[in-house]
Amino acid sequence: MDTREALGSWIDGPKAAAEKMGADFGYRGERLGLPQEGPGSIGGPGRRMGALFVDGWLVALVSFGLIGKGTAASANMWTTPLFFTVTVLLLATTGTTVGKRLFGLRVVRLDGGRATIPQVLLRTVLLCLLVPALVWDRDTRGLHDKAVGTVEVRI
Protein backbone atom coordinates (compact mmCIF):
# COMPACT_ATOMS: atom_id res chain seq x y z
CA MET A 1 0.00 0.00 0.00
CA ASP A 2 1.41 3.38 -0.90
CA THR A 3 0.90 6.67 0.91
CA ARG A 4 -1.84 7.79 -1.47
CA GLU A 5 -3.98 4.78 -0.60
CA ALA A 6 -3.43 5.26 3.14
CA LEU A 7 -4.37 8.94 3.11
CA GLY A 8 -7.10 8.72 0.47
CA SER A 9 -7.51 10.98 -2.48
CA TRP A 10 -8.47 14.57 -1.96
CA ILE A 11 -11.91 13.81 -3.44
CA ASP A 12 -12.67 10.66 -1.44
CA GLY A 13 -11.05 11.70 1.82
CA PRO A 14 -9.46 9.55 4.51
CA LYS A 15 -12.73 7.96 5.63
CA ALA A 16 -13.34 6.48 2.18
CA ALA A 17 -9.78 5.17 2.09
CA ALA A 18 -10.21 3.55 5.51
CA GLU A 19 -13.50 1.97 4.39
CA LYS A 20 -11.76 0.58 1.29
CA MET A 21 -9.23 -1.05 3.64
CA GLY A 22 -12.04 -2.70 5.60
CA ALA A 23 -12.78 -0.28 8.45
CA ASP A 24 -16.44 -0.23 9.49
CA PHE A 25 -17.60 3.08 10.91
CA GLY A 26 -21.26 2.11 11.16
CA TYR A 27 -24.12 4.57 10.92
CA ARG A 28 -24.42 7.90 12.71
CA GLY A 29 -25.36 7.32 16.33
CA GLU A 30 -24.47 3.63 16.46
CA ARG A 31 -21.72 4.30 19.02
CA LEU A 32 -24.32 6.09 21.17
CA GLY A 33 -26.84 3.26 21.00
CA LEU A 34 -29.32 5.24 18.92
CA PRO A 35 -31.41 3.77 16.08
CA GLN A 36 -30.31 4.25 12.49
CA GLU A 37 -33.58 5.78 11.28
CA GLY A 38 -36.84 7.14 12.62
CA PRO A 39 -37.65 8.63 16.03
CA GLY A 40 -34.68 8.74 18.36
CA SER A 41 -32.08 8.70 15.58
CA ILE A 42 -29.56 11.52 15.23
CA GLY A 43 -30.92 14.49 13.31
CA GLY A 44 -28.95 15.26 10.18
CA PRO A 45 -26.83 18.38 9.79
CA GLY A 46 -29.29 19.88 7.30
CA ARG A 47 -32.16 19.66 9.77
CA ARG A 48 -30.06 21.14 12.57
CA MET A 49 -28.80 24.05 10.46
CA GLY A 50 -32.31 24.70 9.18
CA ALA A 51 -33.66 24.78 12.74
CA LEU A 52 -30.87 27.14 13.82
CA PHE A 53 -31.64 29.42 10.87
CA VAL A 54 -35.36 29.52 11.72
CA ASP A 55 -34.66 30.22 15.40
CA GLY A 56 -32.17 32.97 14.54
CA TRP A 57 -34.52 34.52 12.00
CA LEU A 58 -37.45 34.57 14.43
CA VAL A 59 -35.34 36.11 17.19
CA ALA A 60 -33.97 38.73 14.77
CA LEU A 61 -37.51 39.55 13.66
CA VAL A 62 -38.71 39.98 17.25
CA SER A 63 -35.61 41.97 18.13
CA PHE A 64 -36.04 44.29 15.15
CA GLY A 65 -39.80 44.76 15.40
CA LEU A 66 -40.51 44.80 19.13
CA ILE A 67 -37.32 45.62 21.02
CA GLY A 68 -35.37 47.70 18.48
CA LYS A 69 -38.51 49.50 17.29
CA GLY A 70 -37.39 49.26 13.67
CA THR A 71 -33.78 50.43 14.06
CA ALA A 72 -31.16 47.92 12.98
CA ALA A 73 -28.45 49.14 15.37
CA SER A 74 -30.62 48.65 18.43
CA ALA A 75 -31.96 45.33 17.15
CA ASN A 76 -28.46 43.95 16.53
CA MET A 77 -27.51 44.69 20.11
CA TRP A 78 -30.41 42.59 21.43
CA THR A 79 -30.41 39.64 19.00
CA THR A 80 -27.80 37.42 20.69
CA PRO A 81 -29.03 37.93 24.28
CA LEU A 82 -32.60 37.31 23.14
CA PHE A 83 -31.53 34.18 21.23
CA PHE A 84 -29.75 32.91 24.35
CA THR A 85 -32.76 33.59 26.59
CA VAL A 86 -35.36 32.07 24.27
CA THR A 87 -33.24 29.00 23.56
CA VAL A 88 -32.51 28.33 27.23
CA LEU A 89 -36.14 28.78 28.28
CA LEU A 90 -37.55 26.58 25.53
CA LEU A 91 -34.93 23.82 25.79
CA ALA A 92 -35.16 23.72 29.59
CA THR A 93 -38.95 23.46 29.57
CA THR A 94 -39.87 21.56 26.39
CA GLY A 95 -36.58 20.17 25.05
CA THR A 96 -37.12 21.85 21.70
CA THR A 97 -37.24 25.33 20.15
CA VAL A 98 -39.60 26.60 17.46
CA GLY A 99 -37.10 25.83 14.69
CA LYS A 100 -36.23 22.42 16.12
CA ARG A 101 -39.93 21.59 16.38
CA LEU A 102 -40.53 22.60 12.74
CA PHE A 103 -37.67 20.35 11.64
CA GLY A 104 -38.67 17.48 13.95
CA LEU A 105 -35.76 17.68 16.41
CA ARG A 106 -35.37 17.52 20.17
CA VAL A 107 -32.37 17.89 22.51
CA VAL A 108 -31.93 15.00 24.95
CA ARG A 109 -29.23 13.59 27.21
CA LEU A 110 -27.29 10.59 25.98
CA ASP A 111 -29.42 8.32 28.18
CA GLY A 112 -32.59 9.65 26.51
CA GLY A 113 -33.80 11.87 29.36
CA ARG A 114 -34.48 15.58 29.27
CA ALA A 115 -31.40 17.80 29.37
CA THR A 116 -30.84 19.48 32.75
CA ILE A 117 -30.80 23.24 33.19
CA PRO A 118 -26.98 23.42 33.62
CA GLN A 119 -26.57 21.33 30.46
CA VAL A 120 -28.91 23.61 28.54
CA LEU A 121 -27.17 26.76 29.82
CA LEU A 122 -23.66 25.59 28.89
CA ARG A 123 -24.83 24.17 25.56
CA THR A 124 -26.46 27.46 24.61
CA VAL A 125 -23.43 29.53 25.67
CA LEU A 126 -21.24 27.35 23.46
CA LEU A 127 -23.78 27.54 20.63
CA CYS A 128 -23.74 31.34 20.81
CA LEU A 129 -19.94 31.22 20.41
CA LEU A 130 -20.68 29.37 17.12
CA VAL A 131 -17.25 27.70 16.79
CA PRO A 132 -18.18 24.61 18.88
CA ALA A 133 -21.25 24.12 16.70
CA LEU A 134 -19.05 24.01 13.59
CA VAL A 135 -16.77 21.27 14.98
CA TRP A 136 -18.36 17.81 14.53
CA ASP A 137 -17.42 14.26 15.39
CA ARG A 138 -18.12 11.29 13.13
CA ASP A 139 -21.68 11.04 14.48
CA THR A 140 -22.13 14.70 13.36
CA ARG A 141 -22.60 15.79 16.98
CA GLY A 142 -21.37 19.32 17.54
CA LEU A 143 -18.72 20.10 20.13
CA HIS A 144 -21.35 22.01 22.14
CA ASP A 145 -23.39 18.79 22.42
CA LYS A 146 -20.36 16.64 23.23
CA ALA A 147 -19.25 19.03 25.98
CA VAL A 148 -22.50 18.66 27.91
CA GLY A 149 -23.48 15.09 26.99
CA THR A 150 -26.52 15.84 24.82
CA VAL A 151 -27.61 14.94 21.31
CA GLU A 152 -30.21 16.27 18.88
CA VAL A 153 -32.54 13.45 17.90
CA ARG A 154 -35.48 13.21 15.56
CA ILE A 155 -38.95 13.33 17.12
Side-chain angles (χ1 to χ4, degrees), residues 31-126:
R31 296 182 308 159
L32 305 172
L34 300 174
Q36 185 172 2
E37 297 175 353
S41 64
I42 289 186
R47 283 178 184 252
R48 293 196 317 261
M49 285 188 263
L52 183 62
F53 176 78
V54 168
D55 289 336
W57 182 78
L58 288 173
V59 166
L61 186 65
V62 169
S63 179
F64 183 76
L66 297 178
I67 299 172
K69 296 191 177 35
T71 60
S74 178
N76 286 339
M77 184 177 76
W78 287 101
T79 301
T80 302
L82 185 60
F83 177 83
F84 176 82
T85 305
V86 168
T87 302
V88 167
L89 288 175
L90 289 175
L91 287 181
T93 56
T94 64
T96 187
T97 62
V98 174
K100 287 182 190 346
R101 185 69 177 172
L102 287 174
F103 282 85
L105 296 171
R106 177 176 62 158
V107 176
V108 296
R109 292 190 323 245
L110 289 176
D111 64 3
R114 180 177 288 180
T116 63
I117 292 175
Q119 283 177 314
V120 168
L121 283 168
L122 181 57
R123 181 187 186 278
T124 307
V125 165
L126 293 173

Side-chain angles (χ1 to χ4, degrees), residues 123-145:
R123 181 187 186 278
T124 307
V125 165
L126 293 173
L127 181 62
C128 287
L129 294 175
L130 195 64
V131 172
L134 297 175
V135 178
W136 297 346
D137 66 0
R138 81 173 197 218
D139 291 319
T140 65
R141 271 177 68 212
L143 191 60
H144 62 296
D145 278 323

